[in-house]
mmCIF file of all heavy atoms in Angstrom:
data_model
loop_
_atom_site.group_PDB
_atom_site.id
_atom_site.type_symbol
_atom_site.label_atom_id
_atom_site.label_comp_id
_atom_site.label_asym_id
_atom_site.label_seq_id
_atom_site.Cartn_x
_atom_site.Cartn_y
_atom_site.Cartn_z
ATOM 1 N N SER A 280 121.464 83.659 75.011
ATOM 2 C CA SER A 280 120.117 83.771 75.583
ATOM 3 C C SER A 280 120.142 84.544 76.888
ATOM 4 O O SER A 280 119.318 85.438 77.114
ATOM 5 C CB SER A 280 119.527 82.375 75.807
ATOM 6 O OG SER A 280 119.380 81.674 74.583
ATOM 7 N N LEU A 281 121.095 84.197 77.760
ATOM 8 C CA LEU A 281 121.167 84.866 79.054
ATOM 9 C C LEU A 281 121.509 86.345 78.882
ATOM 10 O O LEU A 281 120.913 87.213 79.540
ATOM 11 C CB LEU A 281 122.200 84.186 79.940
ATOM 12 C CG LEU A 281 122.305 84.712 81.374
ATOM 13 C CD1 LEU A 281 120.977 84.571 82.111
ATOM 14 C CD2 LEU A 281 123.407 83.979 82.144
ATOM 15 N N ALA A 282 122.444 86.652 77.981
ATOM 16 C CA ALA A 282 122.814 88.055 77.746
ATOM 17 C C ALA A 282 121.622 88.857 77.242
ATOM 18 O O ALA A 282 121.422 90.017 77.637
ATOM 19 C CB ALA A 282 123.965 88.134 76.753
ATOM 20 N N ALA A 283 120.819 88.249 76.378
ATOM 21 C CA ALA A 283 119.652 88.957 75.840
ATOM 22 C C ALA A 283 118.637 89.269 76.928
ATOM 23 O O ALA A 283 117.993 90.324 76.907
ATOM 24 C CB ALA A 283 119.006 88.128 74.732
ATOM 25 N N LEU A 284 118.468 88.361 77.896
ATOM 26 C CA LEU A 284 117.554 88.623 79.011
ATOM 27 C C LEU A 284 118.132 89.674 79.952
ATOM 28 O O LEU A 284 117.419 90.572 80.408
ATOM 29 C CB LEU A 284 117.276 87.326 79.775
ATOM 30 C CG LEU A 284 116.561 86.219 78.992
ATOM 31 C CD1 LEU A 284 116.472 84.942 79.827
ATOM 32 C CD2 LEU A 284 115.175 86.653 78.544
ATOM 33 N N LEU A 285 119.422 89.580 80.239
ATOM 34 C CA LEU A 285 120.057 90.520 81.154
ATOM 35 C C LEU A 285 120.031 91.946 80.623
ATOM 36 O O LEU A 285 119.914 92.904 81.394
ATOM 37 C CB LEU A 285 121.509 90.097 81.418
ATOM 38 C CG LEU A 285 121.709 88.838 82.271
ATOM 39 C CD1 LEU A 285 123.172 88.399 82.222
ATOM 40 C CD2 LEU A 285 121.285 89.082 83.709
ATOM 41 N N LYS A 286 120.152 92.104 79.315
ATOM 42 C CA LYS A 286 120.260 93.462 78.764
ATOM 43 C C LYS A 286 118.971 94.256 78.980
ATOM 44 O O LYS A 286 119.005 95.484 79.047
ATOM 45 C CB LYS A 286 120.604 93.413 77.276
ATOM 46 C CG LYS A 286 119.435 93.113 76.344
ATOM 47 C CD LYS A 286 119.852 93.169 74.886
ATOM 48 C CE LYS A 286 118.669 92.929 73.961
ATOM 49 N NZ LYS A 286 119.052 92.957 72.533
ATOM 50 N N TRP A 287 117.843 93.560 79.122
ATOM 51 C CA TRP A 287 116.567 94.253 79.275
ATOM 52 C C TRP A 287 116.265 94.623 80.721
ATOM 53 O O TRP A 287 115.742 95.699 80.990
ATOM 54 C CB TRP A 287 115.431 93.387 78.732
ATOM 55 C CG TRP A 287 115.313 93.417 77.250
ATOM 56 C CD1 TRP A 287 115.768 92.469 76.362
ATOM 57 C CD2 TRP A 287 114.725 94.438 76.458
ATOM 58 N NE1 TRP A 287 115.493 92.849 75.086
ATOM 59 C CE2 TRP A 287 114.837 94.057 75.102
ATOM 60 C CE3 TRP A 287 114.090 95.650 76.752
ATOM 61 C CZ2 TRP A 287 114.354 94.830 74.059
ATOM 62 C CZ3 TRP A 287 113.604 96.425 75.705
ATOM 63 C CH2 TRP A 287 113.737 96.014 74.383
ATOM 64 N N ALA A 288 116.570 93.724 81.651
ATOM 65 C CA ALA A 288 116.086 93.955 83.023
ATOM 66 C C ALA A 288 117.059 93.503 84.104
ATOM 67 O O ALA A 288 116.678 93.464 85.273
ATOM 68 C CB ALA A 288 114.748 93.251 83.218
ATOM 69 N N GLY A 289 118.290 93.153 83.732
ATOM 70 C CA GLY A 289 119.227 92.696 84.740
ATOM 71 C C GLY A 289 118.880 91.306 85.242
ATOM 72 O O GLY A 289 118.025 90.615 84.682
ATOM 73 N N PRO A 290 119.520 90.862 86.328
ATOM 74 C CA PRO A 290 119.384 89.466 86.767
ATOM 75 C C PRO A 290 118.273 89.183 87.764
ATOM 76 O O PRO A 290 118.029 88.026 88.092
ATOM 77 C CB PRO A 290 120.746 89.204 87.431
ATOM 78 C CG PRO A 290 121.115 90.539 88.014
ATOM 79 C CD PRO A 290 120.578 91.583 87.049
ATOM 80 N N ALA A 291 117.562 90.191 88.263
ATOM 81 C CA ALA A 291 116.695 89.993 89.428
ATOM 82 C C ALA A 291 115.423 89.207 89.150
ATOM 83 O O ALA A 291 114.720 88.836 90.091
ATOM 84 C CB ALA A 291 116.331 91.353 90.043
ATOM 85 N N LYS A 292 115.117 88.932 87.862
ATOM 86 C CA LYS A 292 113.862 88.244 87.550
ATOM 87 C C LYS A 292 114.094 86.945 86.786
ATOM 88 O O LYS A 292 113.202 86.418 86.141
ATOM 89 C CB LYS A 292 112.952 89.178 86.762
ATOM 90 C CG LYS A 292 112.601 90.441 87.540
ATOM 91 C CD LYS A 292 111.934 91.439 86.632
ATOM 92 C CE LYS A 292 110.490 91.554 87.030
ATOM 93 N NZ LYS A 292 109.730 92.384 86.081
ATOM 94 N N ILE A 293 115.320 86.433 86.874
ATOM 95 C CA ILE A 293 115.696 85.201 86.179
ATOM 96 C C ILE A 293 115.874 84.097 87.215
ATOM 97 O O ILE A 293 116.610 84.262 88.186
ATOM 98 C CB ILE A 293 116.988 85.396 85.372
ATOM 99 C CG1 ILE A 293 116.817 86.529 84.353
ATOM 100 C CG2 ILE A 293 117.383 84.099 84.676
ATOM 101 C CD1 ILE A 293 118.107 86.918 83.649
ATOM 102 N N MET A 294 115.200 82.947 87.002
ATOM 103 C CA MET A 294 115.201 81.864 87.982
ATOM 104 C C MET A 294 115.676 80.562 87.327
ATOM 105 O O MET A 294 115.305 80.260 86.189
ATOM 106 C CB MET A 294 113.794 81.697 88.568
ATOM 107 C CG MET A 294 113.244 83.011 89.120
ATOM 108 S SD MET A 294 111.611 82.932 89.876
ATOM 109 C CE MET A 294 110.565 82.422 88.519
ATOM 110 N N TRP A 295 116.484 79.825 88.060
ATOM 111 C CA TRP A 295 117.040 78.575 87.546
ATOM 112 C C TRP A 295 115.986 77.471 87.566
ATOM 113 O O TRP A 295 115.213 77.348 88.509
ATOM 114 C CB TRP A 295 118.233 78.141 88.395
ATOM 115 C CG TRP A 295 119.016 77.007 87.814
ATOM 116 C CD1 TRP A 295 118.931 75.681 88.132
ATOM 117 C CD2 TRP A 295 120.024 77.112 86.804
ATOM 118 N NE1 TRP A 295 119.814 74.946 87.391
ATOM 119 C CE2 TRP A 295 120.508 75.802 86.564
ATOM 120 C CE3 TRP A 295 120.563 78.178 86.101
ATOM 121 C CZ2 TRP A 295 121.507 75.542 85.629
ATOM 122 C CZ3 TRP A 295 121.560 77.920 85.166
ATOM 123 C CH2 TRP A 295 122.025 76.620 84.934
ATOM 124 N N GLY A 296 115.963 76.665 86.513
ATOM 125 C CA GLY A 296 115.093 75.497 86.475
ATOM 126 C C GLY A 296 115.715 74.437 85.591
ATOM 127 O O GLY A 296 116.112 74.731 84.455
ATOM 128 N N SER A 297 115.828 73.223 86.080
ATOM 129 C CA SER A 297 116.484 72.164 85.305
ATOM 130 C C SER A 297 115.512 71.370 84.446
ATOM 131 O O SER A 297 115.893 70.791 83.436
ATOM 132 C CB SER A 297 117.219 71.205 86.249
ATOM 133 O OG SER A 297 116.283 70.419 86.977
ATOM 134 N N GLY A 298 114.236 71.283 84.884
ATOM 135 C CA GLY A 298 113.305 70.403 84.183
ATOM 136 C C GLY A 298 113.548 68.932 84.456
ATOM 137 O O GLY A 298 112.941 68.078 83.793
ATOM 138 N N THR A 299 114.429 68.612 85.401
ATOM 139 C CA THR A 299 114.677 67.207 85.743
ATOM 140 C C THR A 299 113.331 66.484 85.897
ATOM 141 O O THR A 299 112.422 67.021 86.517
ATOM 142 C CB THR A 299 115.462 67.125 87.074
ATOM 143 O OG1 THR A 299 116.659 67.888 86.948
ATOM 144 C CG2 THR A 299 115.811 65.692 87.435
ATOM 145 N N VAL A 300 113.130 65.336 85.211
ATOM 146 C CA VAL A 300 114.105 64.423 84.683
ATOM 147 C C VAL A 300 114.433 64.639 83.195
ATOM 148 O O VAL A 300 115.091 63.769 82.604
ATOM 149 C CB VAL A 300 113.670 62.964 84.893
ATOM 150 C CG1 VAL A 300 113.554 62.653 86.376
ATOM 151 C CG2 VAL A 300 112.349 62.643 84.197
ATOM 152 N N PHE A 301 113.981 65.734 82.622
ATOM 153 C CA PHE A 301 114.374 66.040 81.247
ATOM 154 C C PHE A 301 115.886 65.933 81.091
ATOM 155 O O PHE A 301 116.403 65.372 80.130
ATOM 156 C CB PHE A 301 113.877 67.437 80.854
ATOM 157 C CG PHE A 301 114.857 68.210 80.013
ATOM 158 C CD1 PHE A 301 115.092 67.846 78.704
ATOM 159 C CD2 PHE A 301 115.563 69.270 80.548
ATOM 160 C CE1 PHE A 301 116.022 68.534 77.939
ATOM 161 C CE2 PHE A 301 116.482 69.958 79.798
ATOM 162 C CZ PHE A 301 116.718 69.592 78.479
ATOM 163 N N SER A 302 116.636 66.508 82.028
ATOM 164 C CA SER A 302 118.086 66.343 82.050
ATOM 165 C C SER A 302 118.539 66.203 83.492
ATOM 166 O O SER A 302 117.824 66.588 84.412
ATOM 167 C CB SER A 302 118.790 67.539 81.394
ATOM 168 O OG SER A 302 118.612 68.708 82.179
ATOM 169 N N HIS A 303 119.719 65.648 83.683
ATOM 170 C CA HIS A 303 120.281 65.570 85.030
ATOM 171 C C HIS A 303 120.741 66.969 85.422
ATOM 172 O O HIS A 303 121.410 67.659 84.650
ATOM 173 C CB HIS A 303 121.461 64.601 85.057
ATOM 174 C CG HIS A 303 121.817 64.144 86.433
ATOM 175 N ND1 HIS A 303 122.419 64.980 87.360
ATOM 176 C CD2 HIS A 303 121.654 62.944 87.062
ATOM 177 C CE1 HIS A 303 122.617 64.307 88.486
ATOM 178 N NE2 HIS A 303 122.150 63.074 88.332
ATOM 179 N N PRO A 304 120.414 67.444 86.627
ATOM 180 C CA PRO A 304 120.691 68.839 86.972
ATOM 181 C C PRO A 304 122.153 69.166 87.237
ATOM 182 O O PRO A 304 122.564 70.324 87.119
ATOM 183 C CB PRO A 304 119.854 69.055 88.240
ATOM 184 C CG PRO A 304 119.729 67.697 88.850
ATOM 185 C CD PRO A 304 119.653 66.741 87.686
ATOM 186 N N GLN A 305 122.964 68.167 87.613
ATOM 187 C CA GLN A 305 124.289 68.482 88.146
ATOM 188 C C GLN A 305 125.272 69.084 87.129
ATOM 189 O O GLN A 305 125.968 70.061 87.463
ATOM 190 C CB GLN A 305 124.902 67.235 88.793
ATOM 191 C CG GLN A 305 126.213 67.475 89.535
ATOM 192 C CD GLN A 305 126.052 68.298 90.818
ATOM 193 O OE1 GLN A 305 125.036 68.937 91.043
ATOM 194 N NE2 GLN A 305 127.067 68.262 91.660
ATOM 195 N N PRO A 306 125.406 68.561 85.910
ATOM 196 C CA PRO A 306 126.402 69.149 85.003
ATOM 197 C C PRO A 306 126.166 70.629 84.715
ATOM 198 O O PRO A 306 127.119 71.423 84.713
ATOM 199 C CB PRO A 306 126.259 68.295 83.728
ATOM 200 C CG PRO A 306 125.738 66.987 84.218
ATOM 201 C CD PRO A 306 124.801 67.341 85.337
ATOM 202 N N ALA A 307 124.923 71.026 84.479
ATOM 203 C CA ALA A 307 124.644 72.435 84.195
ATOM 204 C C ALA A 307 124.893 73.298 85.425
ATOM 205 O O ALA A 307 125.452 74.399 85.316
ATOM 206 C CB ALA A 307 123.203 72.600 83.711
ATOM 207 N N LEU A 308 124.481 72.807 86.600
ATOM 208 C CA LEU A 308 124.706 73.557 87.829
ATOM 209 C C LEU A 308 126.193 73.824 88.061
ATOM 210 O O LEU A 308 126.614 74.952 88.337
ATOM 211 C CB LEU A 308 124.159 72.778 89.023
ATOM 212 C CG LEU A 308 122.739 73.029 89.490
ATOM 213 C CD1 LEU A 308 122.418 72.114 90.666
ATOM 214 C CD2 LEU A 308 122.529 74.474 89.881
ATOM 215 N N LEU A 309 126.990 72.768 87.952
ATOM 216 C CA LEU A 309 128.424 72.902 88.217
ATOM 217 C C LEU A 309 129.092 73.820 87.200
ATOM 218 O O LEU A 309 129.938 74.647 87.555
ATOM 219 C CB LEU A 309 129.092 71.527 88.208
ATOM 220 C CG LEU A 309 128.794 70.615 89.392
ATOM 221 C CD1 LEU A 309 129.542 69.290 89.253
ATOM 222 C CD2 LEU A 309 129.157 71.274 90.714
ATOM 223 N N LYS A 310 128.732 73.676 85.937
ATOM 224 C CA LYS A 310 129.364 74.511 84.917
ATOM 225 C C LYS A 310 128.963 75.971 85.094
ATOM 226 O O LYS A 310 129.797 76.875 84.948
ATOM 227 C CB LYS A 310 128.985 74.010 83.525
ATOM 228 C CG LYS A 310 129.798 74.658 82.414
ATOM 229 C CD LYS A 310 129.627 73.931 81.099
ATOM 230 C CE LYS A 310 130.547 74.523 80.045
ATOM 231 N NZ LYS A 310 130.421 73.805 78.753
ATOM 232 N N PHE A 311 127.690 76.213 85.409
ATOM 233 C CA PHE A 311 127.242 77.591 85.607
ATOM 234 C C PHE A 311 127.964 78.221 86.793
ATOM 235 O O PHE A 311 128.457 79.362 86.705
ATOM 236 C CB PHE A 311 125.727 77.612 85.839
ATOM 237 C CG PHE A 311 125.152 78.991 86.029
ATOM 238 C CD1 PHE A 311 125.153 79.909 84.994
ATOM 239 C CD2 PHE A 311 124.601 79.367 87.246
ATOM 240 C CE1 PHE A 311 124.624 81.190 85.171
ATOM 241 C CE2 PHE A 311 124.062 80.640 87.433
ATOM 242 C CZ PHE A 311 124.078 81.549 86.389
ATOM 243 N N TRP A 312 128.064 77.496 87.907
ATOM 244 C CA TRP A 312 128.660 78.085 89.115
ATOM 245 C C TRP A 312 130.183 78.185 89.015
ATOM 246 O O TRP A 312 130.775 79.207 89.369
ATOM 247 C CB TRP A 312 128.286 77.273 90.346
ATOM 248 C CG TRP A 312 128.901 77.836 91.587
ATOM 249 C CD1 TRP A 312 129.929 77.307 92.308
ATOM 250 C CD2 TRP A 312 128.548 79.065 92.229
ATOM 251 N NE1 TRP A 312 130.240 78.127 93.369
ATOM 252 C CE2 TRP A 312 129.407 79.217 93.335
ATOM 253 C CE3 TRP A 312 127.591 80.053 91.976
ATOM 254 C CZ2 TRP A 312 129.337 80.319 94.197
ATOM 255 C CZ3 TRP A 312 127.515 81.148 92.825
ATOM 256 C CH2 TRP A 312 128.379 81.275 93.913
ATOM 257 N N ASN A 313 130.833 77.135 88.523
ATOM 258 C CA ASN A 313 132.295 77.080 88.575
ATOM 259 C C ASN A 313 132.991 77.743 87.396
ATOM 260 O O ASN A 313 134.073 78.314 87.562
ATOM 261 C CB ASN A 313 132.763 75.621 88.650
ATOM 262 C CG ASN A 313 132.406 74.959 89.959
ATOM 263 O OD1 ASN A 313 132.365 75.607 91.001
ATOM 264 N ND2 ASN A 313 132.134 73.664 89.918
#
Side-chain angles (χ1 to χ4, degrees):
S280 297
L281 185 59
L284 297 174
L285 289 169
K286 79 176 182 181
W287 281 100
K292 299 169 110 187
I293 302 172
M294 307 182 298
W295 190 262
S297 71
T299 304
V300 298
F301 141 71
S302 67
H303 198 289
Q305 187 69 345
L308 268 179
L309 288 181
K310 191 167 185 179
F311 181 66
W312 179 252
N313 292 328

